Every structure is written in structure tokens, then in C-alpha cells.
Amino acid sequence: MAKSNLLPPKTVLITRFSALGDVAMTIPIVYPVCEANPEVNFVFATRKAPAEMFVNCPKNLIVLGIDLNLYKGVKGPLKLALNLHHRYNFDAMADLHDVLRTKLMRISLKLKKVNVAVIDKGRKEKRQIIKGERHEPVMTTHERYRRVFGKLGLTGDKEFAGIFAGIDIPRSPIVPAKEVGAKWIAIAPFSQHQGKEYPLEMMEPVIDNLAYRQDCYLFLMGGGEKERKALDPFKNRNHIVSLPHIKHSFADELALLARCDVMVTMDSANMHLASLVGLPVVSVWGATHPACGFMGWHQSWDNAVQLPIECRPCSVFGNKKCRYGDYHCMRNITPQMIIDKVNILLGNE
């Protein structure tokens, strides 16, 4: 990887204000870079909710949960950039987002002689995959993040080993004692977009099959009132805990995932949360595809459940409506296909 010819920066502003999963994907790159450059101070600016994920941070990393409602309009990002610069006096910016907000921040900071490095999102290559013009995977998002720091002369010489690497997994009120021989399975059946969500009525046989086993305990995951109501029918079943019905933090959730044996999830933030603790994931893919670079950190394509049909992927982010109206890329995945993948990871082939 090419390095900058400039002197190493003293303080670096990192920006990524997007969805939870995108921010979670930065952690396996940001933590090693911080640890490999202890003489450099890092300030990570993101939204309030994702900021809570950054547990067990390197000592030279400050994470700011920004209330973006205070920085609206065209002038908002300019004001935010100047406020942060006045407070931290950084001399470099790693823009891991490259959207209008961060572009405006970059304009403001360049006037302050701040050295800026920007992510290359590979939009053209991803569009080629959607159009069927390209069949090989694009560069992973993790590698794209890594290269931004490389442009600033900053590299991490160690692989990210997990958010709890080197420390005991913290105890949490939502994590019960784990019996010897028990198998803990996290299931996150929701996603922001329908094209990335396996129908809950089809996930129910998966849940029933796994919860029926005497050695298996299931933890159902989801955030928000909608997900809580959807999981109401499961909350009192044996061997099942519905996390949306229990008040908890990101730190609690990560501590729970660190003690699980496998997770079933969509192409969603939960896949990336599981990846932060080294939890193997059975990921279910519909409208989207791992080839677009969003597979979880060190997750295996072999554990992905997806159908080789002509019309997928139809979207990079899963936010487009199905051209056929039935989302058969998801509905033609059988519950048994998911169960079989879980059995393999549990050693029950």
C-alpha cells in the first residue's frame, strides 16, 4: 500500500455518519491503526447510536456521538468541521463516508490546511455487478477503509482479533450463566429493507427447530418498537430470550454475542456486530450479494445462504423494490437450508 510522503499526522479526524453496520465495519480497521500509531491521536465522529459500539477502545481514540440535528443544511457540516477543528486541532482527516456532509466538511478543513484522504467506494464496479457486467467480487469495504489510512501514511500491522481481545468478556445483566455443553444461538431476523429480510413467518420454523433441542438456547435480536411487537409471540417460549423486550446497551449485546456459538442474520448490522467478537455467522442474502464487498469481517462465504438466480443481486444496498413483486430471492430459500448451515457450525452435520 502506498504511503503519503508527508510527515505522519499528529491528530486525525475520522468520519463515518451512516448506518450502524457501516460504522461497525470500521472498527476492525480503526482499532489496529490506532494501536500501531500510539503517537497519533484519533477522533472518530459518527452518529450518537453507533458511537456506543466502540467498547474497549485504544487509548488514543476518542469517539464522538454527534447530534446531526444541530448541524443541518449546507452550513451545518461547515460549522461542525470548524467546531471539531477548534476543539481538537487535527491536521488530517480520514473520510470513510464520502457523502455531501463529509464533502462539505472537507472543503472547510482544506482551508485550514488539513490533509484529507477519502474512501473510494467503487461505485462503478458495484453497478457493474448489479447490471451483470461483472462477476468477480469487488474490493471489500474493510480494505477500502484500510486504504484511506494508508494514504495518510498510517497502517495497522496487526490483524483485528476481536473487540474483547486481551481482556475478559465483561459480565452483563442480560447474559445468564451458560451451562456446560449448551449451545447459544443468536438470531437477528430483521433488516432495514425488505429485499434483505427473510420473512419472519419462514424464520419461525428455523426458530422452532433450534429451540426444540434440549441443548440449544436462542436469543432473538432486533431494535425498535416494530421489531419488539413482531417478536411478541416468541418471548414466553422455552429456550428463547427476546432481547427487544429487555433493556440493554450495545456493550451488553456484544458481551452476549461473544458467548454465543453461532448467529443467524441477514445482510445487516447484526452480521457486523457478530464479527466484532469473532462469532461465526450464517448470513442470509436476497437482493444483495457478498460480491459487493459487505461481508462481515472474517466471515466465510461458505456460511452464506443465497440462491443462484439470474435477477440477483438487483441492488447494492437492498433498498430497491423487487421487479417481480414477490422477493423470491428470499422466499425460495427454505428454512431447512438455514438449519443445515447452523448444524454444520454447531458440529451437528
Side-chain angles (χ1 to χ4, degrees):
M1 181 188 303
K3 291 188 177 183
S4 169
N5 292 323
L6 301 176
L7 293 174
K10 295 180 180 179
T11 305
V12 179
L13 173 68
I14 308 169
T15 54
R16 183 82 212 204
F17 294 103
S18 53
L20 184 66
D22 295 319
V23 179
M25 293 180 76
T26 68
I27 291 177
I29 304 304
V30 170
Y31 278 31
V33 167
C34 292
E35 291 164 356
N37 299 275
E39 73 287 356
V40 180
N41 294 314
F42 296 86
V43 180
F44 196 122
T46 186
R47 295 176 187 267
K48 281 194 169 184
E52 298 178 13
M53 288 187 299
F54 288 75
V55 301
N56 193 29
C57 283
K59 294 180 180 180
N60 56 337
L61 173 63
I62 297 172
V63 180
L64 304 176
I66 305 295
D67 183 355
L68 295 179
N69 290 321
L70 302 177
Y71 301 97
K72 293 182 177 180
V74 174
K75 293 183 178 180
L78 302 175
K79 178 183 176 183
L80 174 59
L82 292 177
N83 286 352
L84 292 176
H85 187 266
H86 177 74
R87 184 175 177 183
Y88 295 103
N89 193 31
F90 39 80
D91 52 344
M93 175 184 179
D95 183 0
L96 306 183
H97 202 172
D98 191 27
V99 291
L100 179 59
R101 177 179 289 109
T102 58
K103 288 177 180 178
L104 291 171
M105 292 180 70
R106 286 173 358 221
I107 291 173
S108 179
L109 294 176
K110 284 181 178 178
L111 296 176
K112 296 289 185 179
K113 308 300 182 183
V114 172
N115 185 25
V116 173
V118 186
I119 188 172
D120 175 5
K121 290 187 173 180
R123 293 183 177 95
K124 179 180 178 181
E125 293 89 345
K126 292 172 184 176
R127 285 196 298 268
Q128 289 174 336
I129 289 179
I130 301 305
K131 293 178 181 179
E133 299 170 354
R134 177 188 175 114
H135 302 287
E136 64 273 17
V138 301
M139 182 189 302
T140 68
T141 301
H142 296 102
E143 180 58 26
R144 294 182 189 279
Y145 289 155
R146 194 195 310 273
R147 293 194 176 196
V148 176
F149 292 102
K151 294 174 185 177
L152 296 174
L154 301 169
T155 58
D157 53 7
K158 292 195 304 183
E159 281 286 290
F160 178 74
I163 208 161
F164 297 126
I167 65 170
D168 293 333
I169 300 171
R171 300 303 304 173
S172 166
I174 70 167
V175 184
K178 188 173 184 180
E179 299 175 3
V180 176
K183 302 294 185 181
W184 284 12
I185 304 170
I187 298 183
F190 304 110
S191 182
Q192 184 178 0
H193 304 297
Q194 188 174 356
K196 298 203 297 183
E197 185 170 291
Y198 193 62
L200 188 57
E201 68 271 18
M202 298 181 69
M203 184 63 79
E204 185 168 4
V206 177
I207 295 172
D208 288 342
N209 178 285
L210 298 174
Y212 181 75
R213 308 178 191 188
Q214 290 302 311
D215 62 339
C216 287
Y217 294 83
L218 275 58
F219 298 87
L220 306 185
M221 308 182 72
E225 183 65 15
K226 179 182 176 182
E227 287 78 9
R228 188 190 67 78
K229 288 183 177 179
L231 294 178
D232 274 346
F234 300 94
K235 65 180 181 180
N236 293 321
R237 297 188 188 181
N238 289 335
H239 289 208
I240 293 178
V241 175
S242 175
L243 292 184
H245 292 87
I246 304 172
K247 186 176 181 179
H248 64 280
S249 67
F250 271 122
D252 295 328
E253 197 164 300
L254 288 165
L256 171 63
L257 292 177
R259 291 181 171 86
C260 286
D261 297 280
V262 64
M263 182 182 217
V264 177
T265 183
M266 309 298 106
D267 169 20
S268 68
N270 285 290
M271 172 174 60
H272 302 296
L273 291 177
S275 301
L276 294 181
V277 298
L279 176 63
V281 166
V282 172
S283 53
V284 183
W285 300 74
T288 58
H289 197 286
C292 288
F294 296 104
M295 178 60 86
W297 176 257
H298 285 184
Q299 296 295 341
S300 172
W301 281 39
D302 291 340
N303 299 331
V305 183
Q306 54 185 333
L307 298 176
I309 56 179
E310 178 273 334
C311 61
R312 67 171 295 269
C314 65
S315 172
V316 174
F317 305 109
N319 55 343
K320 294 182 179 179
K321 290 186 177 180
C322 174
R323 71 185 75 168
Y324 302 109
D326 61 356
Y327 294 95
H328 58 275
C329 59
M330 277 294 192
R331 290 193 169 273
N332 285 355
I333 293 174
T334 67
Q336 191 61 48
M337 292 169 66
I338 299 174
I339 294 168
D340 288 345
K341 292 285 188 180
V342 173
N343 283 335
I344 291 172
L345 287 176
L346 292 180
N348 297 328
E349 295 182 79

